[in-house]
Every structure is written in C-alpha cells, then in structure tokens.
Amino acid sequence: MSEAAELDVTPSPEPVIPVRDEDEHLNPDFIAAVEAAIGGDDRVALKELAGDLHEADTGDLLETLNADERAAFIRLLGDEFDYTALTETDEAVRLQVLEDLPNEVIAEGLEDLDSDDAVYILEDLDEDDQAAILEELPYADRAQLKKALDYPEESAGRRMQSEFIAVAPFWTVGQTIDYMREARDLPDSFYEIYVLDPAFKLLGSVHLDKILRTKRAEKVTSIMEETRQAVLATEDQEEVARRFERYNLVSSAVVDENERLVGVLTVDDIVDVIQEEAEEDLRALAGVGDEEISDTVVTIARSRLAWLVVNLGTAILASVVIALFEDTIEAMVALAVLMPIVASMGGNAGTQTMTVAVRGIATQELGARNLLRVLNREILVSAVNGVALALLIGITAWLWFASPGLGVVIAGSIIINMLFAGFSGLLIPIALDRLNVDPAIASSVFVTTVTDVVGFFAFLGIAALWFGLPF
Amino acid sequence: MSEAAELDVTPSPEPVIPVRDEDEHLNPDFIAAVEAAIGGDDRVALKELAGDLHEADTGDLLETLNADERAAFIRLLGDEFDYTALTETDEAVRLQVLEDLPNEVIAEGLEDLDSDDAVYILEDLDEDDQAAILEELPYADRAQLKKALDYPEESAGRRMQSEFIAVAPFWTVGQTIDYMREARDLPDSFYEIYVLDPAFKLLGSVHLDKILRTKRAEKVTSIMEETRQAVLATEDQEEVARRFERYNLVSSAVVDENERLVGVLTVDDIVDVIQEEAEEDLRALAGVGDEEISDTVVTIARSRLAWLVVNLGTAILASVVIALFEDTIEAMVALAVLMPIVASMGGNAGTQTMTVAVRGIATQELGARNLLRVLNREILVSAVNGVALALLIGITAWLWFASPGLGVVIAGSIIINMLFAGFSGLLIPIALDRLNVDPAIASSVFVTTVTDVVGFFAFLGIAALWFGLPF
C-alpha cells in the first residue's frame, strides 16, 4: 500500500484544448480560445490557457495574433508573461511588440531572463530605446548586458549567457555539490561547471555527469577536462557553430582576450545559428536575403528588386549576344525556337554544380586539398551528361525540323555549354571565396551569365558556320 | 606555497604540429606527418600524432587519406583507433573502410561504442555484412543493435542511444547519486535521468543540474519534470528535430508504443539532422539529391541527369510556345533578341517566391492560417517589382530598337509574367505539399514551366497583336 502511495505522482491537469494539432501547427481551436479570452478581457481564462505555455509556443502564438491582440495578451498575462517568448518570434513581431510596451515594463520583464535572452531582445532595438531600457535595470544586470552588447554583432559574446558556475582548482567534488545546493543566483540550466585559477583564467571544465559519478573526496581537477581551445567572445557565431557541430559540443566556455572566463554558450543558441547558416546559403542562391514571413511588402520588394536588377544585366547581356546573330535568325527562325533550350540546360547544370560547390565551401568539405579531384570529376560528369542530353536534344531537333544538320548543331552546342557550366559552376564560387566575397550571394549571377552567353553564342555561331548563314 | 602547488595542474604535452590551420581546415603539415608515419609503418609516431585525436578530427583525416592509407592507419593504430570516427566521415569513405576490414575487427571496434554510433555505422551495410558483424558481438549488444536496426530508417529509434539511467519514483536524490557513483555500465555522457514506474513506463525526467542543486533527502519525483509528450521510437527524425529545435531540447526520452522507455536522443545527433534538413531543401531545389563530395562520377552523373531530363521537358515546352510564333519572329527579329529577358526575369522572381515558400512550409511558418495574407503580399510584391522592372526594360528596349511600341509590349509582358511568377511561386509549393509531394523537389520544374510559357506567350502574343504581325 505505502509503495503504491509513493508512486502516486499527481499529474498537473491536462489543458482542455491541445496547443498543437497533429501536424504540430498551433491548434486553430486553441488560437480561437485565446482570441476569445483577449476579446473578452478575461484575465483568468487567458492565464488558464496560456499562462503555463512553453516559451516557444507563446512565441508562435504571438506571431499568429495581430498587433492589438499581442499588446492585450501581454497586458492581461501580466507577471505570467515570460519575455523569453520574444526570442522565439521573428524580428518584425518582436520589434512591434517592444514598440508598443513602455520601457519600464520591458525592463521589468528582462530582469528575470538569462543574459543571452535579454541581449537577444535588446540588440535589434535602436540605441535610444536600448539605453532607456538599460537605465531602468539594476546596476549589476545593466553592466552585464552593456558588456555583452559591446561585443560585435553575431559574435559569441552576443550569444553567450553570462551566468555560470566556477570553482577553484583545490575544491573537492563534495564542496562543489554543496556549493551548488546553497548558491542562489545559478543559471537556469547548465551542463558543466568551470575551474578557474585565482586570476580567473579558465583551466578546464567538468561535465555534470562526471561530478555525479565521482566520490565526494576527489578533487575537481582530477575529473576536469582541460580547455585546449576556448571560444573567444569576439569570435563569429558561424565559426563557433561549426566547432559545436564538428565536436558535438553541448556547451562551451567563452573567454576574453586574457583567457578569462566571461560566459557560456549552449547548444540551443547554436542550433539556431547552424540552421540559419544553411538557410542563408539557400536564400542567397535564390536572391531573397533574410526576409521573414512577417515582413512588409516594401521591405521585401526592395530587397528582392536588387537581385532582379542584377539579373536583368545578365539577361540583357544574353540579348546582346543574340542580337549579333539577328541576320542568322532571320534566315532560319528555327534557331530562335531552339536557342532557349541550350541556355536553359546549361543554366540548370551550372546551378547543380554551383550548389554543391557553395555548400562544400561552407562546410569546409571542399578546399585546396581536393579541388583538382573535384574539378576533374565535375568535368567528367558534365561530359557524360552533356553527351546524353546532346543525343536526346539532337534527335528531337532533327525530327522536329526534319533537319539532321540542326540536330548536330544543337548537340554540339549543348556539349560545349555543359562543359562550361561544370567548369564555371565549380570555379566561380571558389574564386569568389578566395576574393572574400560570399559565394552563395554572388555565384549564380556569374554562372548564369556564362551559361547564357556561351549557350546562345555557341548555338547561333555554330549554326551560322554549319549552314553558311549570314551574321 | 601549498596552495600554489594545488594549482599546479600538469598540462598534457601540446602536440608539436597543430591539427588544424587558421581556417580550421586540417593542417597540411599534420596530414603530411601522418602520411609519413603510415608510409614508414611507424606505429609509435602515428600513435603520438593521431592516437589522441577527437573522433571528428580522425574522421576528417580519414576522408583526406586515400583508401590504402586508411586501412594502414586503422591497422597501425590498433586498439587506439576509435570507431566513433567512422560516424564523422561521409558515407562513401565509411563504406570503403568497412569493406576493407575483417568483420571480427569491426565487431570488436563496435563493442565499445554507444549503441547510436554502432547503429549509424551498421545501417548502411548490406544485410549479409550486418548479420556477420552482429554474429561476432556479445549477446546483449547484438540484441540491442538488432532491435534498433528494426526501427524504420531515419526514425528516432535508429538515432537514439539505448544506454540510459532510470530510477524508481520512490528514490531520493541521495540514493540516485550513490547509484550513479557505483554503477558501471553508464552511458558515455548524459544530461538527464529518467523516472520509471514498475512497468517501465516513463513518468518523467530530471536534469542533472536539478539533482546537484537539491538536498539528498528529497524525492526525485519532487524535482522531476513530467513527460507530457515523449518521442516515439518510430517517429521520423525530421519531426523529432523540429521538436528539439522548437523547445530547445538537449536530450529527450524515446518510448515504444507502450510508453516504455527504450532510449535517449541527444542534441548532437539531432544537430546533424537539422542541418541535413535545411541542406536537403537547398539541394532539392537545385536538383542535386544527396550526393557527397567523395561520390563517384557515375553516381553523380546519373542522379543529376534525371533532373536535367525533367527540365528538358520544360525547355521543349517553352520552345513549342515559341514555335507558335515563328512567323511573328520572322517578321520582327528583335522579338527573338528580347524574348529571353521576359522569361528569365519571371524565372528569377518565381524562384525567389518559391524559395521563401518552400522554407516556410518546412519550418511550418507558412500554413493555412497565414496563406491568404502571404499570397496577398506576394502579389503586391510582384506588382511593385513588376512595374519597376517593366519601366527599366521598356525604356531599354525602346532606346535599343528605337521603337516605343516594343518598349510598351515588353513592359506589359514583364508585368504579366511577374504576377504569374509570384502566384505560382507560392501556390505550386503549397499545392504539392497538400498532395504529399516534397515541394523542395518538384516545385522549381513547375514554376519554371509557368514563367517560361507565360513569358514567351505573353511577349510574342502581345507583340503580334500590337504590331499586327502574322502568327
């Protein structure tokens, strides 16, 4: 009987309406209930529904609500609103919410957060608002946040949390455990503790599971992993992300230029960086920048237009090449019908190679050591696929226009363009990278220019020569 | 004095040659030294150089060496070769290494690994080799790995590690700590322990930092976080990755269909999944599948050709549209010169919208709830940019061919094509997703078809009507 009683873990009451549906989207019924509670100014119902949500769910919920509802939501929840949720919304929503809140209220909300979350919320505000909010914070918090905001954007110093547990090298495991039981201002969650020398220099780290497995009398230094290479606070977050990923890290100490421990990075912040990085390449290749689903028409139109105008240059250049052959086309209109095929096949093949090259550079799988091997392979792949496509297209053109000559001409120009596509698809990203230009952003314009110009020039030029047409 | 002595943490000797250079690539000098040691059959030098490397560095090193060197490297290192390194190489290298090793040697190497790493290495082998290696393993390990391999590919059950620490709900924190100090077969590293009822059903989890902060006499249930929604072993790894990312998880319990704890997933396995997922979309949009930098020419050529042939269909369709207007072009060759501009601008704009849509669907930021708002925005963006580009191109065409009419015709067709691009760039991925076709793979063919066909048709058709040309 007594054991059964022990097992009786009282479950917290299940929410009546599930927060997410089967596809893990926010449940429309749940959203409707929240909106009803907001509309009816019903503090009790809203707290019941949303007071206990995970910050990520609250963030998604804020994105779904409109601006007025967001303000009312935060006002009605009052102290139960967890400002961490603002780190889970996209930037446009975050800025709108902060815009509508008085600075004292924001300051009060930030006080309870870990420093990394507070910095994340503050960093996109303009300097005046930042200063005004910092002014409202207690001295220690303010100094800590100011210091973090002094690190460059997208640096480890901006992403780290300044709360950590550090012990002296002569402490035992037992002392360390006792300290953690008594200490008050511990970070929200942590995975390792750090060992510092008297000058606050980082000596090493101890994973919590090691502490738990070790007898109380042991010295922490005996189970400590020595720090070989700590993250520098000024280091770029992408470099740090690559190291987390490569070495499967869960957290890492961050030090200043004097090797003194200043903070801790945890993998949950880094996961976002890793995903952003892969996504950045995708967006850059398509020319869409870092727009967000909640951005305005003007912001989006402007950022996309730049890319379109650059590509317009490419398109006009291709037209200039075609214009060289106006007389040729006039003499044989079938050439105008077929010429886009040559350019488009080259463009597609070039994009394939380029995508592999851009990701290879980003993940450091492609470098000087294997460049020749990969180039060799790309040329072979282009040759193989060029011949295959040339046969397919050559026969199609021959049958369509009942002209074997036209089949030969298009087949030859396809092979030429495919080779240029493979060559430029690999070498243009690499050259841009050497010149310190982001290959993801700039490559596709150049590669398309090559495949368009070579495609039209080869096809129309060979045709003019083969058929003895004017040009 | 005595305190200074306490601080004297004897550093392990620094390796003479750094493993990585400034760009964090493997240091060429280091690679050369390793190759020299392999060439000289110098076991001692090789162990000195590479015996103590992180598995990720060993993995990168294996990728750099050629096949013969890889075999010699593993043979010379002997017991000091950590098979976890094989989880850090790409698939082609891993399979080649395993091919060259006797099954008994592989089995011996796998015995020391956590089950998730062993499964990762085994899962790509063919069934005969798998069976032969499993045969060589001790019974308990074999049963555990077989069970994991029975879960579907890319499921949580394949990625989880079967080692975990579970305690009964009536245990105290003190009992739990004592148990961890005494237990032998603990996982390599862990972040939380699990509380199970007598039927092995999962009740909840306790983070290690909670255990360390809590007095010995407390019950584990009093600091336990109740499990609301555990990961199912059969669940797809991408879904699990999304949950890790959304809720900033570091580890999560995995349960079977009876809610019994069967394993633990940790974020380091999931980070790879998250990155792969974002990268998969990028590759799918460019039509390059999951090829790796070490794949052979034939593998790559074949996978890329499929995509090129599909796109050839699109290109031919566009040519058919142009062929409808052969007489029109013959009457006015300038149309042939300008027509690729209209198609290419539409293609670029369509790709922009499509990229945003595909990622929005993947990250669940785009769904039924905001579809109308986003569609509305895309149409506005297309209209704004369409008018801007139309002006630019219209004036260019007018000046180039000294024909204001040609300027008007191309401007009008650009606006039409940009609207179709925005419309199809958003709706095609969404429609494909509804039909359970991966929008990343199939969207771009359809979108390009729309922008090519509409581009050529609108431009040539409007021109024929405007100038009263034959068609």
Side-chain angles (χ1 to χ4, degrees):
Chain A
M1 265 312 277
S2 98
E3 194 159 313
E6 297 275 3
L7 289 176
D8 186 353
V9 182
T10 37
S12 62
E14 277 295 295
V16 189
I17 311 170
V19 177
R20 293 192 177 264
D21 62 16
E22 279 163 30
D23 295 334
E24 308 231 358
H25 289 110
L26 283 185
N27 181 355
D29 295 339
F30 175 76
I31 298 172
V34 168
E35 284 176 329
I38 294 172
D41 226 31
D42 187 344
R43 201 176 290 264
V44 178
L46 189 66
K47 286 187 178 178
E48 184 91 1
L49 281 163
D52 206 28
L53 286 184
H54 188 281
E55 64 230 36
D57 294 327
T58 311
D60 282 1
L61 185 58
L62 283 174
E63 287 183 354
T64 308
L65 300 176
N66 67 38
D68 292 337
E69 289 173 332
R70 284 173 200 148
F73 179 84
I74 295 171
R75 182 174 50 74
L76 288 171
L77 275 188
D79 281 351
E80 285 184 39
F81 178 70
D82 176 1
Y83 278 73
T84 320
L86 290 179
T87 66
E88 305 278 346
T89 67
D90 66 30
E91 192 185 334
V93 171
R94 181 165 56 251
L95 289 177
Q96 182 270 315
V97 166
L98 293 172
E99 193 74 11
D100 287 356
L101 285 173
N103 287 337
E104 315 85 72
V105 175
I106 299 176
E108 211 170 299
L110 295 186
E111 233 176 284
D112 301 330
L113 301 191
D114 276 342
S115 65
D116 55 338
D117 293 327
V119 168
Y120 194 89
I121 292 171
L122 283 172
E123 67 182 356
D124 294 325
L125 295 178
D126 60 46
E127 286 192 21
D128 291 346
D129 284 331
Q130 251 182 38
I133 293 169
L134 286 172
E135 215 45 61
E136 304 279 340
L137 286 170
Y139 174 76
D141 288 357
R142 187 180 0 163
Q144 200 182 46
L145 294 181
K146 268 192 178 160
K147 205 175 145 200
L149 287 167
D150 276 345
Y151 288 112
E153 266 184 61
E154 312 217 320
S155 68
R158 285 281 182 101
R159 291 284 79 79
M160 74 189 184
Q161 86 189 31
S162 317
E163 297 85 1
F164 51 78
I165 298 177
V167 301
F170 49 83
W171 279 29
T172 63
V173 168
Q175 277 176 299
T176 307
I177 294 181
D178 293 342
Y179 168 71
M180 283 189 275
R181 288 213 182 110
E182 301 306 330
R184 300 195 140 244
D185 200 22
L186 295 182
D188 267 4
S189 66
F190 54 98
Y191 311 103
E192 47 187 24
I193 62 159
Y194 301 96
V195 183
L196 303 186
D197 79 3
F200 298 106
K201 276 200 190 163
L202 179 66
L203 296 174
S205 62
V206 187
H207 280 274
L208 296 190
D209 59 341
K210 279 261 185 67
I211 297 182
L212 281 167
R213 288 184 220 195
T214 309
K215 304 249 188 252
R216 286 181 63 89
E218 288 260 9
K219 284 265 165 59
V220 286
T221 46
S222 72
I223 53 169
M224 165 183 98
E225 241 173 278
E226 250 178 278
T227 306
R228 295 207 177 168
Q229 195 190 15
V231 170
L232 260 173
T234 49
E235 218 169 318
D236 186 82
Q237 61 180 10
E238 290 197 5
E239 270 172 55
V240 179
R242 215 137 45 201
R243 214 178 306 157
F244 263 74
E245 200 188 355
R246 179 181 302 134
Y247 296 124
N248 299 328
L249 303 179
V250 165
S251 65
S252 167
V254 180
V255 297
D256 65 13
E257 63 279 11
N258 301 316
E259 290 173 52
R260 278 192 297 230
L261 183 63
V262 290
V264 177
L265 271 171
T266 50
V267 67
D268 52 312
D269 305 312
I270 292 301
V271 162
D272 298 337
V273 176
I274 291 173
Q275 209 206 1
E276 273 165 30
E277 201 190 343
E279 199 162 314
E280 250 172 40
D281 280 356
L282 169 64
R283 289 162 172 273
L285 283 170
V288 282
D290 60 350
E291 65 179 55
E292 284 171 348
I293 219 103
S294 56
D295 279 346
T296 62
V297 171
V298 179
T299 318
I300 292 181
R302 200 185 299 150
S303 90
R304 290 196 199 165
L305 185 60
W307 173 256
L308 293 173
V309 169
V310 171
N311 276 278
L312 178 58
T314 299
I316 290 178
L317 198 61
S319 292
V320 171
V321 173
I322 299 171
L324 296 176
F325 296 94
E326 272 191 78
D327 297 343
T328 322
I329 293 172
E330 199 155 14
M332 192 180 201
V333 178
L335 299 179
V337 173
L338 293 175
M339 66 185 187
I341 296 181
V342 182
S344 131
M345 284 296 101
N348 284 321
T351 303
Q352 289 181 325
T353 307
M354 179 183 75
T355 303
V356 174
V358 165
R359 283 310 293 165
I361 293 169
T363 59
Q364 304 191 330
E365 285 183 275
L366 178 60
R369 90 200 129 80
N370 60 359
L371 177 56
L372 269 181
R373 189 160 55 81
V374 175
L375 181 61
N376 191 27
R377 191 197 63 187
E378 284 302 324
I379 290 173
L380 278 172
V381 169
S382 302
V384 171
N385 284 349
V387 170
L389 285 176
L391 279 173
L392 215 56
I393 300 169
I395 292 169
T396 308
W398 171 14
L399 298 177
W400 188 354
F401 293 95
S403 158
L406 204 51
V408 172
V409 169
I410 198 167
S413 54
I414 283 277
I415 292 177
I416 292 173
N417 206 19
M418 290 286 287
L419 286 173
F420 270 89
F423 212 75
S424 63
L426 180 63
L427 294 188
I428 287 174
I430 290 199
L432 290 169
D433 185 49
R434 292 272 161 91
L435 297 170
N436 285 319
V437 178
D438 182 353
I441 291 177
S443 293
S444 81
V445 173
F446 289 106
V447 173
T448 318
T449 304
V450 169
T451 54
D452 273 6
V453 167
V454 171
F456 290 127
F457 196 87
F459 178 60
L460 297 172
I462 296 175
L465 293 174
W466 182 278
F467 295 109
L469 299 174
F471 61 94
Chain B
M1 267 309 279
S2 98
E3 195 158 315
E6 297 275 2
L7 289 176
D8 185 354
V9 181
T10 37
S12 62
E14 277 293 295
V16 190
I17 312 169
V19 177
R20 293 193 177 262
D21 63 16
E22 280 165 28
D23 295 335
E24 307 231 356
H25 289 111
L26 282 185
N27 181 356
D29 296 340
F30 176 76
I31 297 173
V34 168
E35 283 176 331
I38 293 172
D41 225 31
D42 188 345
R43 202 177 289 265
V44 178
L46 190 67
K47 285 186 178 179
E48 185 92 358
L49 280 163
D52 206 29
L53 287 184
H54 189 280
E55 64 229 36
D57 294 327
T58 310
D60 282 1
L61 185 58
L62 283 175
E63 287 183 355
T64 309
L65 300 176
N66 66 38
D68 291 338
E69 290 172 332
R70 283 173 202 149
F73 179 85
I74 295 171
R75 183 174 48 76
L76 289 170
L77 275 188
D79 280 352
E80 285 183 38
F81 178 72
D82 176 1
Y83 279 74
T84 321
L86 291 178
T87 64
E88 304 279 343
T89 67
D90 65 31
E91 191 185 334
V93 172
R94 180 164 58 250
L95 290 178
Q96 183 269 314
V97 167
L98 293 172
E99 193 74 11
D100 287 356
L101 286 174
N103 287 336
E104 316 84 73
V105 176
I106 299 175
E108 211 170 300
L110 294 187
E111 232 175 286
D112 301 331
L113 302 191
D114 275 343
S115 64
D116 54 339
D117 293 327
V119 167
Y120 193 88
I121 292 172
L122 284 172
E123 66 182 356
D124 294 325
L125 294 176
D126 59 46
E127 285 194 19
D128 292 346
D129 285 330
Q130 254 182 36
I133 294 168
L134 286 172
E135 215 45 60
E136 303 279 339
L137 286 170
Y139 174 74
D141 289 356
R142 187 180 358 163
Q144 200 180 45
L145 295 181
K146 268 192 178 159
K147 203 174 148 202
L149 286 166
D150 276 345
Y151 288 112
E153 266 185 63
E154 312 217 317
S155 68
R158 285 281 182 101
R159 292 283 79 78
M160 74 187 184
Q161 89 189 29
S162 318
E163 296 86 3
F164 51 78
I165 299 177
V167 301
F170 49 84
W171 280 29
T172 63
V173 168
Q175 278 175 297
T176 306
I177 294 182
D178 294 342
Y179 167 71
M180 283 188 274
R181 287 211 183 110
E182 301 306 331
R184 300 194 139 245
D185 199 24
L186 295 182
D188 267 5
S189 67
F190 54 97
Y191 310 102
E192 47 186 26
I193 62 160
Y194 301 96
V195 183
L196 304 186
D197 79 4
F200 299 106
K201 275 201 192 165
L202 178 66
L203 296 173
S205 63
V206 187
H207 280 274
L208 296 190
D209 60 341
K210 279 261 184 70
I211 296 182
L212 281 166
R213 289 185 219 194
T214 309
K215 304 249 189 255
R216 286 181 63 89
E218 288 258 10
K219 284 266 164 59
V220 286
T221 45
S222 72
I223 53 171
M224 166 184 99
E225 242 172 276
E226 248 178 280
T227 306
R228 294 206 180 168
Q229 194 189 17
V231 170
L232 258 173
T234 49
E235 219 170 316
D236 185 82
Q237 59 180 10
E238 292 197 2
E239 269 173 55
V240 179
R242 216 138 44 204
R243 213 177 307 156
F244 264 74
E245 200 188 357
R246 178 181 303 134
Y247 295 123
N248 299 329
L249 303 180
V250 165
S251 65
S252 167
V254 180
V255 298
D256 66 12
E257 63 282 8
N258 301 316
E259 291 173 53
R260 278 192 297 229
L261 183 63
V262 291
V264 177
L265 272 170
T266 51
V267 68
D268 52 312
D269 306 312
I270 292 301
V271 163
D272 298 337
V273 176
I274 291 173
Q275 210 206 0
E276 273 166 31
E277 200 192 345
E279 200 163 314
E280 250 172 41
D281 280 357
L282 168 63
R283 288 162 173 271
L285 283 170
V288 283
D290 61 349
E291 66 180 55
E292 284 171 350
I293 218 103
S294 57
D295 278 346
T296 63
V297 171
V298 178
T299 318
I300 292 181
R302 200 184 300 149
S303 89
R304 290 196 199 164
L305 186 60
W307 174 256
L308 294 173
V309 170
V310 171
N311 276 276
L312 178 58
T314 300
I316 291 178
L317 198 61
S319 292
V320 170
V321 173
I322 300 171
L324 296 176
F325 296 94
E326 272 190 79
D327 296 342
T328 321
I329 293 172
E330 199 154 17
M332 192 180 204
V333 179
L335 298 180
V337 173
L338 293 175
M339 67 184 185
I341 297 180
V342 182
S344 133
M345 284 295 103
N348 285 319
T351 303
Q352 290 181 325
T353 306
M354 178 183 75
T355 303
V356 174
V358 165
R359 284 308 294 166
I361 292 170
T363 59
Q364 305 192 329
E365 285 183 275
L366 178 61
R369 89 201 128 80
N370 60 359
L371 177 57
L372 269 181
R373 188 158 56 82
V374 175
L375 181 61
N376 191 28
R377 191 197 65 188
E378 284 302 325
I379 291 173
L380 278 172
V381 169
S382 302
V384 170
N385 284 349
V387 169
L389 285 176
L391 279 173
L392 216 56
I393 299 169
I395 292 169
T396 309
W398 170 13
L399 297 177
W400 187 354
F401 294 93
S403 159
L406 205 50
V408 172
V409 168
I410 199 169
S413 54
I414 284 276
I415 292 177
I416 291 173
N417 206 19
M418 290 285 287
L419 286 173
F420 271 89
F423 212 76
S424 63
L426 179 64
L427 294 188
I428 286 174
I430 290 197
L432 290 169
D433 185 49
R434 292 272 162 91
L435 297 170
N436 284 320
V437 178
D438 182 354
I441 292 178
S443 293
S444 82
V445 173
F446 289 106
V447 173
T448 317
T449 304
V450 169
T451 55
D452 273 6
V453 167
V454 171
F456 291 127
F457 195 88
F459 178 60
L460 297 172
I462 295 175
L465 293 174
W466 181 277
F467 295 109
L469 299 173
F471 62 93

